[in-house]
Amino acid sequence: MMWVLIDPIGTVPVFLLVTRGMRQAQSRRIAFRATYTSAVVLVFFALGGQIFLEALGIPLTSFQIAGGIILFIFALTMVFGEPMTKQGEEEIREASEEHTRSIAVYPLAIPAIASPGAMLGAVLLADTEPFSIADHTEDVVIILIILVITLGFMLAAKPIRRVLGDSGVNVIGRVMGLILAGVAVHTVLVAVVKFFKIAGVPTDGLF
C-alpha cells in the first residue's frame, strides 16, 4: 500500500520539473532534503498521526477530503503550468539556498512524495490493536525503505532527462499531473462515501 501511495517512480517527473535548469549539486540537495522532510512527516503520521487528529477532533475522512483538495490544486499546477523560459531557468540556477530548501519542501516533499494519501496510509498502517512496538517499528522501516528507493530514483533522474529531453519531461509531467488529479478526486469521493455511509458504492482503490 505504501509503495503505491508514495509512488517512487511517479516522483521522477515531478522532480525533473521542479529542478529543471538547476545545477546537479542543487538538484541533489533538493532530493536529499525532500526525502528527509517526507520521512519526518510520514513517520510522524505513522506513530502519532491518529492520536494527533483525534486530539484536534478531525475525523480521518475530513483529513482525507482536505488532502485530496490540496493534491488536486497541485495537480492543476502540473497540468496547466507554463513551460519555463530561458530567463526562468537562469533564475533557478542562481536560486538562493532558502529557495532551494523551499522547493524541497513544496511541492516535492509535500504533496508529491508525502502526499495526503501517503499520510493517511501511514495512519492506517499503524492503526493496530493492541499497540505493538514491533509492528510500529516494522511500519517505520517499510516507509523508510520506500523513501530510500524514491531518493535513488530522484538521483537517477538527470540521465532520464537526457534521454527524454525537456519536451519529453514536460509532456510526462503534465500527464502525471492529470493522473494525480484523478487520484485526488478519487480520494475525495472515497472519503465522501465513507462519511455519508453510502451503501452500494465501491470504494476499492487507494484505501
Side-chain angles (χ1 to χ4, degrees), residues 18-194:
V18 300
T19 60
R20 181 178 177 182
M22 289 187 178
R23 298 186 179 91
Q24 185 172 0
Q26 283 181 305
S27 61
R28 286 177 62 88
R29 286 199 300 270
I30 288 177
F32 279 101
R33 285 171 179 161
T35 304
Y36 169 77
T37 303
S38 301
V40 171
V41 172
L42 293 179
V43 169
F44 168 77
F45 274 94
L47 298 180
Q50 187 167 358
I51 297 174
F52 178 71
L53 293 176
E54 289 177 354
L56 295 177
I58 302 175
L60 287 178
T61 51
S62 298
F63 179 78
Q64 191 172 345
I65 291 173
I69 293 173
I70 294 173
L71 186 61
F72 183 77
I73 294 174
F74 169 65
L76 290 182
T77 64
M78 291 182 63
V79 174
F80 296 110
E82 292 298 324
M84 190 171 297
T85 62
K86 291 295 183 181
Q87 181 180 0
E89 291 184 3
E90 186 63 29
E91 290 174 355
I92 287 182
R93 290 192 186 97
E94 302 301 329
S96 65
E97 187 70 15
E98 182 62 31
H99 180 63
T100 302
R101 190 177 295 112
S102 176
I103 292 176
V105 175
Y106 176 87
L108 194 52
I110 304 171
I113 302 175
S115 65
M119 296 179 198
L120 183 61
V123 173
L124 297 178
L125 192 68
D127 186 17
T128 57
E129 293 292 342
F131 178 85
S132 171
I133 295 179
D135 289 341
H136 281 67
T137 301
E138 182 180 354
D139 296 338
V140 171
V141 170
I142 289 173
I143 291 173
L144 294 179
I145 290 175
I146 297 175
L147 288 177
V148 169
I149 295 173
T150 304
L151 174 62
F153 276 110
M154 287 191 290
L155 294 179
K158 293 298 182 180
I160 296 175
R161 169 179 279 168
R162 285 195 291 269
V163 172
L164 297 177
D166 288 341
S167 298
V169 172
N170 194 24
V171 170
I172 293 177
R174 291 174 191 268
V175 172
M176 285 302 302
L178 184 59
I179 294 174
L180 280 177
V183 171
V185 171
H186 175 73
T187 302
V188 173
L189 290 178
V190 169
V192 170
V193 169
K194 289 181 179 179

